[in-house]
Amino acid sequence: MSDLNLTAETRSEFGKGAARRIRRAAQIPAVIYGHGAAPLHIVLPERATVRAIRGANALLTITVDGAEHLALVKDVQRDPVLQIVEHIDLLTVKKGEKVIVDVPVVLVGEPAPAVVVNQEEMSVSLSADATHLPAHVEVDISGREAGQHVLASDLVLPANVELLTDPSLLVVHLAEPTVAAEEGEEGTEADAAE
């Protein structure tokens, strides 16, 4: 189960004016949907919610009128300028249920000297148990040489996690620095001009 617990209130007011009033009261409008049930419109406490949704694919236990709802954060709408959370969409999940999520790819280690690392994909799609979602997928680039690459199929995934991204997708490419090559070419041109 989730260790992120929030207490919410049901919401009966809708529209921009109501949403503004809710945000002024240090709360966030949200909706819980899924499993064929009618959407449940709620209001969450702002400070605790913002802390809880910092990580990708946050799993929350939300208590509404004494009933607990296990929910996965599916969408966070933010003000484009102020970056305050304006609305949250939550998907009802059950323990043991498989869900599809995008998980960040994190590079660890240092490549061989004078190697440039190009991370082509920042995240990959996975199918995993809703209560055991990986926070990220690590790619170890320790000692890798120029010309090597990591495909999605090369990723080491936790147990019971399935890769949904195309296995042939290039995730990381290691190359030689291009600046050094350009400086070398300029040096030969200068030598030829003398």
PDB file of all heavy atoms in Angstrom, residues 70-107:
ATOM      1  N   LEU A  70      -7.136   4.023  -3.082  1.00  0.00           N
ATOM      2  CA  LEU A  70      -5.754   3.916  -3.537  1.00  0.00           C
ATOM      3  C   LEU A  70      -5.723   4.483  -4.947  1.00  0.00           C
ATOM      4  O   LEU A  70      -6.442   4.013  -5.833  1.00  0.00           O
ATOM      5  CB  LEU A  70      -5.303   2.452  -3.523  1.00  0.00           C
ATOM      6  CG  LEU A  70      -3.827   2.190  -3.784  1.00  0.00           C
ATOM      7  CD1 LEU A  70      -2.961   2.860  -2.711  1.00  0.00           C
ATOM      8  CD2 LEU A  70      -3.563   0.694  -3.816  1.00  0.00           C
ATOM      9  N   ALA A  71      -4.917   5.523  -5.164  1.00  0.00           N
ATOM     10  CA  ALA A  71      -4.945   6.222  -6.452  1.00  0.00           C
ATOM     11  C   ALA A  71      -3.540   6.578  -6.925  1.00  0.00           C
ATOM     12  O   ALA A  71      -2.661   6.911  -6.131  1.00  0.00           O
ATOM     13  CB  ALA A  71      -5.793   7.485  -6.342  1.00  0.00           C
ATOM     14  N   LEU A  72      -3.376   6.505  -8.226  1.00  0.00           N
ATOM     15  CA  LEU A  72      -2.117   6.843  -8.897  1.00  0.00           C
ATOM     16  C   LEU A  72      -2.277   8.208  -9.558  1.00  0.00           C
ATOM     17  O   LEU A  72      -3.281   8.457 -10.228  1.00  0.00           O
ATOM     18  CB  LEU A  72      -1.820   5.775  -9.954  1.00  0.00           C
ATOM     19  CG  LEU A  72      -0.533   5.891 -10.742  1.00  0.00           C
ATOM     20  CD1 LEU A  72       0.678   5.697  -9.839  1.00  0.00           C
ATOM     21  CD2 LEU A  72      -0.518   4.866 -11.859  1.00  0.00           C
ATOM     22  N   VAL A  73      -1.307   9.096  -9.364  1.00  0.00           N
ATOM     23  CA  VAL A  73      -1.363  10.417  -9.989  1.00  0.00           C
ATOM     24  C   VAL A  73      -1.160  10.232 -11.497  1.00  0.00           C
ATOM     25  O   VAL A  73      -0.124   9.735 -11.938  1.00  0.00           O
ATOM     26  CB  VAL A  73      -0.282  11.358  -9.412  1.00  0.00           C
ATOM     27  CG1 VAL A  73      -0.288  12.688 -10.147  1.00  0.00           C
ATOM     28  CG2 VAL A  73      -0.503  11.566  -7.924  1.00  0.00           C
ATOM     29  N   LYS A  74      -2.159  10.616 -12.295  1.00  0.00           N
ATOM     30  CA  LYS A  74      -2.066  10.477 -13.743  1.00  0.00           C
ATOM     31  C   LYS A  74      -1.735  11.790 -14.427  1.00  0.00           C
ATOM     32  O   LYS A  74      -1.060  11.809 -15.445  1.00  0.00           O
ATOM     33  CB  LYS A  74      -3.393   9.941 -14.321  1.00  0.00           C
ATOM     34  CG  LYS A  74      -3.604   8.485 -14.100  1.00  0.00           C
ATOM     35  CD  LYS A  74      -2.442   7.621 -14.528  1.00  0.00           C
ATOM     36  CE  LYS A  74      -2.434   7.277 -15.985  1.00  0.00           C
ATOM     37  NZ  LYS A  74      -1.325   6.409 -16.381  1.00  0.00           N
ATOM     38  N   ASP A  75      -2.226  12.912 -13.895  1.00  0.00           N
ATOM     39  CA  ASP A  75      -1.968  14.199 -14.532  1.00  0.00           C
ATOM     40  C   ASP A  75      -1.994  15.301 -13.487  1.00  0.00           C
ATOM     41  O   ASP A  75      -2.884  15.325 -12.637  1.00  0.00           O
ATOM     42  CB  ASP A  75      -3.003  14.481 -15.623  1.00  0.00           C
ATOM     43  CG  ASP A  75      -2.681  15.726 -16.422  1.00  0.00           C
ATOM     44  OD1 ASP A  75      -1.497  15.956 -16.731  1.00  0.00           O
ATOM     45  OD2 ASP A  75      -3.610  16.493 -16.734  1.00  0.00           O
ATOM     46  N   VAL A  76      -0.998  16.183 -13.571  1.00  0.00           N
ATOM     47  CA  VAL A  76      -0.937  17.354 -12.701  1.00  0.00           C
ATOM     48  C   VAL A  76      -0.941  18.578 -13.604  1.00  0.00           C
ATOM     49  O   VAL A  76      -0.050  18.739 -14.429  1.00  0.00           O
ATOM     50  CB  VAL A  76       0.330  17.342 -11.820  1.00  0.00           C
ATOM     51  CG1 VAL A  76       0.397  18.599 -10.964  1.00  0.00           C
ATOM     52  CG2 VAL A  76       0.375  16.097 -10.949  1.00  0.00           C
ATOM     53  N   GLN A  77      -1.962  19.402 -13.465  1.00  0.00           N
ATOM     54  CA  GLN A  77      -2.047  20.624 -14.271  1.00  0.00           C
ATOM     55  C   GLN A  77      -1.508  21.780 -13.440  1.00  0.00           C
ATOM     56  O   GLN A  77      -1.946  22.007 -12.321  1.00  0.00           O
ATOM     57  CB  GLN A  77      -3.498  20.873 -14.691  1.00  0.00           C
ATOM     58  CG  GLN A  77      -4.010  19.779 -15.596  1.00  0.00           C
ATOM     59  CD  GLN A  77      -5.514  19.643 -15.561  1.00  0.00           C
ATOM     60  OE1 GLN A  77      -6.217  20.520 -15.101  1.00  0.00           O
ATOM     61  NE2 GLN A  77      -6.012  18.512 -16.043  1.00  0.00           N
ATOM     62  N   ARG A  78      -0.524  22.476 -14.024  1.00  0.00           N
ATOM     63  CA  ARG A  78       0.132  23.586 -13.335  1.00  0.00           C
ATOM     64  C   ARG A  78      -0.071  24.885 -14.100  1.00  0.00           C
ATOM     65  O   ARG A  78      -0.183  24.878 -15.322  1.00  0.00           O
ATOM     66  CB  ARG A  78       1.638  23.334 -13.204  1.00  0.00           C
ATOM     67  CG  ARG A  78       1.982  22.139 -12.358  1.00  0.00           C
ATOM     68  CD  ARG A  78       3.489  21.940 -12.266  1.00  0.00           C
ATOM     69  NE  ARG A  78       3.826  20.696 -11.629  1.00  0.00           N
ATOM     70  CZ  ARG A  78       3.970  20.520 -10.325  1.00  0.00           C
ATOM     71  NH1 ARG A  78       3.807  21.541  -9.529  1.00  0.00           N
ATOM     72  NH2 ARG A  78       4.267  19.348  -9.827  1.00  0.00           N
ATOM     73  N   ASP A  79      -0.070  25.989 -13.378  1.00  0.00           N
ATOM     74  CA  ASP A  79      -0.101  27.304 -13.998  1.00  0.00           C
ATOM     75  C   ASP A  79       1.209  27.457 -14.768  1.00  0.00           C
ATOM     76  O   ASP A  79       2.283  27.210 -14.215  1.00  0.00           O
ATOM     77  CB  ASP A  79      -0.213  28.380 -12.921  1.00  0.00           C
ATOM     78  CG  ASP A  79      -0.261  29.768 -13.517  1.00  0.00           C
ATOM     79  OD1 ASP A  79       0.833  30.293 -13.858  1.00  0.00           O
ATOM     80  OD2 ASP A  79      -1.349  30.339 -13.640  1.00  0.00           O
ATOM     81  N   PRO A  80       1.157  27.841 -16.057  1.00  0.00           N
ATOM     82  CA  PRO A  80       2.380  27.910 -16.862  1.00  0.00           C
ATOM     83  C   PRO A  80       3.390  28.952 -16.383  1.00  0.00           C
ATOM     84  O   PRO A  80       4.581  28.803 -16.617  1.00  0.00           O
ATOM     85  CB  PRO A  80       1.883  28.243 -18.269  1.00  0.00           C
ATOM     86  CG  PRO A  80       0.488  28.735 -18.092  1.00  0.00           C
ATOM     87  CD  PRO A  80      -0.024  28.177 -16.813  1.00  0.00           C
ATOM     88  N   VAL A  81       2.938  29.972 -15.688  1.00  0.00           N
ATOM     89  CA  VAL A  81       3.848  31.019 -15.221  1.00  0.00           C
ATOM     90  C   VAL A  81       4.231  30.801 -13.759  1.00  0.00           C
ATOM     91  O   VAL A  81       5.412  30.745 -13.413  1.00  0.00           O
ATOM     92  CB  VAL A  81       3.211  32.422 -15.406  1.00  0.00           C
ATOM     93  CG1 VAL A  81       4.117  33.497 -14.858  1.00  0.00           C
ATOM     94  CG2 VAL A  81       2.903  32.669 -16.869  1.00  0.00           C
ATOM     95  N   LEU A  82       3.238  30.669 -12.892  1.00  0.00           N
ATOM     96  CA  LEU A  82       3.496  30.559 -11.458  1.00  0.00           C
ATOM     97  C   LEU A  82       3.891  29.152 -11.017  1.00  0.00           C
ATOM     98  O   LEU A  82       4.416  28.965  -9.928  1.00  0.00           O
ATOM     99  CB  LEU A  82       2.260  31.007 -10.671  1.00  0.00           C
ATOM    100  CG  LEU A  82       1.771  32.432 -10.955  1.00  0.00           C
ATOM    101  CD1 LEU A  82       0.480  32.704 -10.212  1.00  0.00           C
ATOM    102  CD2 LEU A  82       2.844  33.442 -10.587  1.00  0.00           C
ATOM    103  N   GLN A  83       3.618  28.153 -11.854  1.00  0.00           N
ATOM    104  CA  GLN A  83       3.914  26.742 -11.568  1.00  0.00           C
ATOM    105  C   GLN A  83       3.197  26.198 -10.332  1.00  0.00           C
ATOM    106  O   GLN A  83       3.634  25.229  -9.734  1.00  0.00           O
ATOM    107  CB  GLN A  83       5.428  26.527 -11.442  1.00  0.00           C
ATOM    108  CG  GLN A  83       6.162  26.611 -12.763  1.00  0.00           C
ATOM    109  CD  GLN A  83       5.688  25.567 -13.754  1.00  0.00           C
ATOM    110  OE1 GLN A  83       5.749  24.373 -13.491  1.00  0.00           O
ATOM    111  NE2 GLN A  83       5.193  26.002 -14.900  1.00  0.00           N
ATOM    112  N   ILE A  84       2.081  26.833  -9.935  1.00  0.00           N
ATOM    113  CA  ILE A  84       1.291  26.281  -8.835  1.00  0.00           C
ATOM    114  C   ILE A  84       0.406  25.171  -9.393  1.00  0.00           C
ATOM    115  O   ILE A  84       0.017  25.191 -10.566  1.00  0.00           O
ATOM    116  CB  ILE A  84       0.429  27.355  -8.134  1.00  0.00           C
ATOM    117  CG1 ILE A  84      -0.552  28.008  -9.124  1.00  0.00           C
ATOM    118  CG2 ILE A  84       1.294  28.393  -7.453  1.00  0.00           C
ATOM    119  CD1 ILE A  84      -1.605  28.856  -8.464  1.00  0.00           C
ATOM    120  N   VAL A  85       0.099  24.181  -8.570  1.00  0.00           N
ATOM    121  CA  VAL A  85      -0.747  23.072  -8.997  1.00  0.00           C
ATOM    122  C   VAL A  85      -2.186  23.568  -9.052  1.00  0.00           C
ATOM    123  O   VAL A  85      -2.727  24.048  -8.055  1.00  0.00           O
ATOM    124  CB  VAL A  85      -0.610  21.874  -8.034  1.00  0.00           C
ATOM    125  CG1 VAL A  85      -1.565  20.764  -8.435  1.00  0.00           C
ATOM    126  CG2 VAL A  85       0.827  21.377  -8.013  1.00  0.00           C
ATOM    127  N   GLU A  86      -2.814  23.439 -10.229  1.00  0.00           N
ATOM    128  CA  GLU A  86      -4.192  23.904 -10.409  1.00  0.00           C
ATOM    129  C   GLU A  86      -5.215  22.778 -10.293  1.00  0.00           C
ATOM    130  O   GLU A  86      -6.348  23.009  -9.885  1.00  0.00           O
ATOM    131  CB  GLU A  86      -4.337  24.593 -11.769  1.00  0.00           C
ATOM    132  CG  GLU A  86      -3.566  25.889 -11.862  1.00  0.00           C
ATOM    133  CD  GLU A  86      -3.863  26.643 -13.141  1.00  0.00           C
ATOM    134  OE1 GLU A  86      -4.118  25.993 -14.182  1.00  0.00           O
ATOM    135  OE2 GLU A  86      -3.827  27.879 -13.096  1.00  0.00           O
ATOM    136  N   HIS A  87      -4.827  21.559 -10.691  1.00  0.00           N
ATOM    137  CA  HIS A  87      -5.772  20.435 -10.676  1.00  0.00           C
ATOM    138  C   HIS A  87      -4.988  19.141 -10.782  1.00  0.00           C
ATOM    139  O   HIS A  87      -3.930  19.096 -11.409  1.00  0.00           O
ATOM    140  CB  HIS A  87      -6.752  20.549 -11.855  1.00  0.00           C
ATOM    141  CG  HIS A  87      -7.868  19.571 -11.789  1.00  0.00           C
ATOM    142  ND1 HIS A  87      -7.776  18.293 -12.286  1.00  0.00           N
ATOM    143  CD2 HIS A  87      -9.113  19.665 -11.269  1.00  0.00           C
ATOM    144  CE1 HIS A  87      -8.917  17.658 -12.078  1.00  0.00           C
ATOM    145  NE2 HIS A  87      -9.749  18.466 -11.467  1.00  0.00           N
ATOM    146  N   ILE A  88      -5.522  18.071 -10.191  1.00  0.00           N
ATOM    147  CA  ILE A  88      -4.867  16.765 -10.246  1.00  0.00           C
ATOM    148  C   ILE A  88      -5.879  15.713 -10.664  1.00  0.00           C
ATOM    149  O   ILE A  88      -6.992  15.668 -10.136  1.00  0.00           O
ATOM    150  CB  ILE A  88      -4.261  16.376  -8.880  1.00  0.00           C
ATOM    151  CG1 ILE A  88      -3.225  17.410  -8.451  1.00  0.00           C
ATOM    152  CG2 ILE A  88      -3.622  14.993  -8.940  1.00  0.00           C
ATOM    153  CD1 ILE A  88      -2.690  17.197  -7.053  1.00  0.00           C
ATOM    154  N   ASP A  89      -5.493  14.866 -11.623  1.00  0.00           N
ATOM    155  CA  ASP A  89      -6.296  13.711 -12.021  1.00  0.00           C
ATOM    156  C   ASP A  89      -5.677  12.474 -11.376  1.00  0.00           C
ATOM    157  O   ASP A  89      -4.469  12.239 -11.496  1.00  0.00           O
ATOM    158  CB  ASP A  89      -6.297  13.538 -13.539  1.00  0.00           C
ATOM    159  CG  ASP A  89      -7.099  14.614 -14.251  1.00  0.00           C
ATOM    160  OD1 ASP A  89      -7.856  15.336 -13.574  1.00  0.00           O
ATOM    161  OD2 ASP A  89      -6.968  14.731 -15.478  1.00  0.00           O
ATOM    162  N   LEU A  90      -6.502  11.690 -10.705  1.00  0.00           N
ATOM    163  CA  LEU A  90      -6.049  10.489 -10.003  1.00  0.00           C
ATOM    164  C   LEU A  90      -6.785   9.274 -10.546  1.00  0.00           C
ATOM    165  O   LEU A  90      -7.996   9.321 -10.747  1.00  0.00           O
ATOM    166  CB  LEU A  90      -6.318  10.636  -8.504  1.00  0.00           C
ATOM    167  CG  LEU A  90      -5.654  11.840  -7.833  1.00  0.00           C
ATOM    168  CD1 LEU A  90      -6.414  12.247  -6.588  1.00  0.00           C
ATOM    169  CD2 LEU A  90      -4.225  11.510  -7.498  1.00  0.00           C
ATOM    170  N   LEU A  91      -6.048   8.191 -10.761  1.00  0.00           N
ATOM    171  CA  LEU A  91      -6.623   6.954 -11.274  1.00  0.00           C
ATOM    172  C   LEU A  91      -6.724   5.940 -10.146  1.00  0.00           C
ATOM    173  O   LEU A  91      -5.732   5.630  -9.487  1.00  0.00           O
ATOM    174  CB  LEU A  91      -5.738   6.392 -12.395  1.00  0.00           C
ATOM    175  CG  LEU A  91      -6.164   5.067 -13.000  1.00  0.00           C
ATOM    176  CD1 LEU A  91      -7.491   5.202 -13.731  1.00  0.00           C
ATOM    177  CD2 LEU A  91      -5.090   4.550 -13.943  1.00  0.00           C
ATOM    178  N   THR A  92      -7.936   5.427  -9.908  1.00  0.00           N
ATOM    179  CA  THR A  92      -8.140   4.393  -8.891  1.00  0.00           C
ATOM    180  C   THR A  92      -7.411   3.125  -9.314  1.00  0.00           C
ATOM    181  O   THR A  92      -7.522   2.686 -10.464  1.00  0.00           O
ATOM    182  CB  THR A  92      -9.643   4.076  -8.730  1.00  0.00           C
ATOM    183  OG1 THR A  92     -10.310   5.255  -8.303  1.00  0.00           O
ATOM    184  CG2 THR A  92      -9.873   2.980  -7.723  1.00  0.00           C
ATOM    185  N   VAL A  93      -6.654   2.543  -8.390  1.00  0.00           N
ATOM    186  CA  VAL A  93      -5.958   1.286  -8.659  1.00  0.00           C
ATOM    187  C   VAL A  93      -6.223   0.323  -7.513  1.00  0.00           C
ATOM    188  O   VAL A  93      -6.671   0.722  -6.437  1.00  0.00           O
ATOM    189  CB  VAL A  93      -4.432   1.499  -8.839  1.00  0.00           C
ATOM    190  CG1 VAL A  93      -4.134   2.301 -10.093  1.00  0.00           C
ATOM    191  CG2 VAL A  93      -3.815   2.155  -7.620  1.00  0.00           C
ATOM    192  N   LYS A  94      -5.938  -0.953  -7.773  1.00  0.00           N
ATOM    193  CA  LYS A  94      -6.098  -1.979  -6.749  1.00  0.00           C
ATOM    194  C   LYS A  94      -4.772  -2.696  -6.566  1.00  0.00           C
ATOM    195  O   LYS A  94      -3.972  -2.781  -7.505  1.00  0.00           O
ATOM    196  CB  LYS A  94      -7.166  -2.991  -7.166  1.00  0.00           C
ATOM    197  CG  LYS A  94      -8.550  -2.408  -7.249  1.00  0.00           C
ATOM    198  CD  LYS A  94      -9.557  -3.437  -7.693  1.00  0.00           C
ATOM    199  CE  LYS A  94     -10.933  -2.808  -7.794  1.00  0.00           C
ATOM    200  NZ  LYS A  94     -11.909  -3.690  -8.411  1.00  0.00           N
ATOM    201  N   LYS A  95      -4.555  -3.205  -5.374  1.00  0.00           N
ATOM    202  CA  LYS A  95      -3.337  -3.960  -5.088  1.00  0.00           C
ATOM    203  C   LYS A  95      -3.279  -5.161  -6.036  1.00  0.00           C
ATOM    204  O   LYS A  95      -4.259  -5.869  -6.205  1.00  0.00           O
ATOM    205  CB  LYS A  95      -3.334  -4.418  -3.638  1.00  0.00           C
ATOM    206  CG  LYS A  95      -2.028  -5.018  -3.206  1.00  0.00           C
ATOM    207  CD  LYS A  95      -2.020  -5.310  -1.733  1.00  0.00           C
ATOM    208  CE  LYS A  95      -0.659  -5.837  -1.346  1.00  0.00           C
ATOM    209  NZ  LYS A  95      -0.530  -6.057   0.073  1.00  0.00           N
ATOM    210  N   GLY A  96      -2.124  -5.361  -6.669  1.00  0.00           N
ATOM    211  CA  GLY A  96      -1.954  -6.463  -7.611  1.00  0.00           C
ATOM    212  C   GLY A  96      -2.326  -6.117  -9.042  1.00  0.00           C
ATOM    213  O   GLY A  96      -2.039  -6.872  -9.958  1.00  0.00           O
ATOM    214  N   GLU A  97      -2.959  -4.980  -9.254  1.00  0.00           N
ATOM    215  CA  GLU A  97      -3.352  -4.558 -10.593  1.00  0.00           C
ATOM    216  C   GLU A  97      -2.134  -4.011 -11.353  1.00  0.00           C
ATOM    217  O   GLU A  97      -1.308  -3.296 -10.803  1.00  0.00           O
ATOM    218  CB  GLU A  97      -4.415  -3.462 -10.485  1.00  0.00           C
ATOM    219  CG  GLU A  97      -4.841  -2.877 -11.807  1.00  0.00           C
ATOM    220  CD  GLU A  97      -5.823  -1.724 -11.645  1.00  0.00           C
ATOM    221  OE1 GLU A  97      -6.087  -1.294 -10.509  1.00  0.00           O
ATOM    222  OE2 GLU A  97      -6.313  -1.261 -12.679  1.00  0.00           O
ATOM    223  N   LYS A  98      -2.020  -4.360 -12.643  1.00  0.00           N
ATOM    224  CA  LYS A  98      -0.943  -3.842 -13.492  1.00  0.00           C
ATOM    225  C   LYS A  98      -1.389  -2.512 -14.087  1.00  0.00           C
ATOM    226  O   LYS A  98      -2.523  -2.374 -14.533  1.00  0.00           O
ATOM    227  CB  LYS A  98      -0.627  -4.819 -14.626  1.00  0.00           C
ATOM    228  CG  LYS A  98       0.008  -6.104 -14.159  1.00  0.00           C
ATOM    229  CD  LYS A  98       1.487  -5.955 -14.076  1.00  0.00           C
ATOM    230  CE  LYS A  98       2.144  -7.303 -13.852  1.00  0.00           C
ATOM    231  NZ  LYS A  98       3.579  -7.213 -13.860  1.00  0.00           N
ATOM    232  N   VAL A  99      -0.482  -1.536 -14.062  1.00  0.00           N
ATOM    233  CA  VAL A  99      -0.753  -0.229 -14.656  1.00  0.00           C
ATOM    234  C   VAL A  99       0.397   0.124 -15.595  1.00  0.00           C
ATOM    235  O   VAL A  99       1.508  -0.397 -15.469  1.00  0.00           O
ATOM    236  CB  VAL A  99      -0.923   0.880 -13.588  1.00  0.00           C
ATOM    237  CG1 VAL A  99      -2.167   0.641 -12.760  1.00  0.00           C
ATOM    238  CG2 VAL A  99       0.303   1.003 -12.716  1.00  0.00           C
ATOM    239  N   ILE A 100       0.107   1.011 -16.534  1.00  0.00           N
ATOM    240  CA  ILE A 100       1.118   1.474 -17.480  1.00  0.00           C
ATOM    241  C   ILE A 100       1.580   2.853 -17.038  1.00  0.00           C
ATOM    242  O   ILE A 100       0.760   3.750 -16.833  1.00  0.00           O
ATOM    243  CB  ILE A 100       0.548   1.524 -18.911  1.00  0.00           C
ATOM    244  CG1 ILE A 100       0.152   0.118 -19.352  1.00  0.00           C
ATOM    245  CG2 ILE A 100       1.556   2.139 -19.876  1.00  0.00           C
ATOM    246  CD1 ILE A 100      -0.628   0.069 -20.641  1.00  0.00           C
ATOM    247  N   VAL A 101       2.895   2.998 -16.864  1.00  0.00           N
ATOM    248  CA  VAL A 101       3.457   4.266 -16.420  1.00  0.00           C
ATOM    249  C   VAL A 101       4.716   4.594 -17.228  1.00  0.00           C
ATOM    250  O   VAL A 101       5.371   3.700 -17.761  1.00  0.00           O
ATOM    251  CB  VAL A 101       3.818   4.232 -14.907  1.00  0.00           C
ATOM    252  CG1 VAL A 101       2.581   4.172 -14.045  1.00  0.00           C
ATOM    253  CG2 VAL A 101       4.764   3.093 -14.590  1.00  0.00           C
ATOM    254  N   ASP A 102       5.035   5.881 -17.305  1.00  0.00           N
ATOM    255  CA  ASP A 102       6.305   6.324 -17.867  1.00  0.00           C
ATOM    256  C   ASP A 102       7.244   6.565 -16.703  1.00  0.00           C
ATOM    257  O   ASP A 102       6.911   7.294 -15.766  1.00  0.00           O
ATOM    258  CB  ASP A 102       6.127   7.611 -18.684  1.00  0.00           C
ATOM    259  CG  ASP A 102       5.400   7.363 -19.992  1.00  0.00           C
ATOM    260  OD1 ASP A 102       5.426   6.212 -20.475  1.00  0.00           O
ATOM    261  OD2 ASP A 102       4.802   8.304 -20.534  1.00  0.00           O
ATOM    262  N   VAL A 103       8.427   5.936 -16.763  1.00  0.00           N
ATOM    263  CA  VAL A 103       9.389   5.997 -15.673  1.00  0.00           C
ATOM    264  C   VAL A 103      10.670   6.669 -16.173  1.00  0.00           C
ATOM    265  O   VAL A 103      11.147   6.344 -17.260  1.00  0.00           O
ATOM    266  CB  VAL A 103       9.691   4.571 -15.148  1.00  0.00           C
ATOM    267  CG1 VAL A 103      10.736   4.586 -14.068  1.00  0.00           C
ATOM    268  CG2 VAL A 103       8.417   3.925 -14.639  1.00  0.00           C
ATOM    269  N   PRO A 104      11.233   7.612 -15.394  1.00  0.00           N
ATOM    270  CA  PRO A 104      12.464   8.289 -15.824  1.00  0.00           C
ATOM    271  C   PRO A 104      13.650   7.329 -15.938  1.00  0.00           C
ATOM    272  O   PRO A 104      13.759   6.375 -15.172  1.00  0.00           O
ATOM    273  CB  PRO A 104      12.729   9.314 -14.722  1.00  0.00           C
ATOM    274  CG  PRO A 104      11.515   9.355 -13.873  1.00  0.00           C
ATOM    275  CD  PRO A 104      10.736   8.107 -14.120  1.00  0.00           C
ATOM    276  N   VAL A 105      14.528   7.613 -16.897  1.00  0.00           N
ATOM    277  CA  VAL A 105      15.777   6.873 -17.065  1.00  0.00           C
ATOM    278  C   VAL A 105      16.872   7.709 -16.409  1.00  0.00           C
ATOM    279  O   VAL A 105      17.040   8.883 -16.735  1.00  0.00           O
ATOM    280  CB  VAL A 105      16.103   6.634 -18.552  1.00  0.00           C
ATOM    281  CG1 VAL A 105      17.465   5.973 -18.718  1.00  0.00           C
ATOM    282  CG2 VAL A 105      15.020   5.785 -19.209  1.00  0.00           C
ATOM    283  N   VAL A 106      17.618   7.109 -15.471  1.00  0.00           N
ATOM    284  CA  VAL A 106      18.667   7.810 -14.737  1.00  0.00           C
ATOM    285  C   VAL A 106      20.010   7.173 -15.074  1.00  0.00           C
ATOM    286  O   VAL A 106      20.170   5.956 -14.960  1.00  0.00           O
ATOM    287  CB  VAL A 106      18.407   7.738 -13.213  1.00  0.00           C
ATOM    288  CG1 VAL A 106      19.542   8.377 -12.433  1.00  0.00           C
ATOM    289  CG2 VAL A 106      17.085   8.391 -12.870  1.00  0.00           C
ATOM    290  N   LEU A 107      20.977   8.002 -15.477  1.00  0.00           N
ATOM    291  CA  LEU A 107      22.316   7.517 -15.787  1.00  0.00           C
ATOM    292  C   LEU A 107      23.162   7.525 -14.524  1.00  0.00           C
ATOM    293  O   LEU A 107      23.147   8.502 -13.773  1.00  0.00           O
ATOM    294  CB  LEU A 107      22.971   8.388 -16.852  1.00  0.00           C
ATOM    295  CG  LEU A 107      22.202   8.539 -18.169  1.00  0.00           C
ATOM    296  CD1 LEU A 107      22.993   9.384 -19.150  1.00  0.00           C
ATOM    297  CD2 LEU A 107      21.858   7.199 -18.774  1.00  0.00           C
TER     298      LEU A 107
END
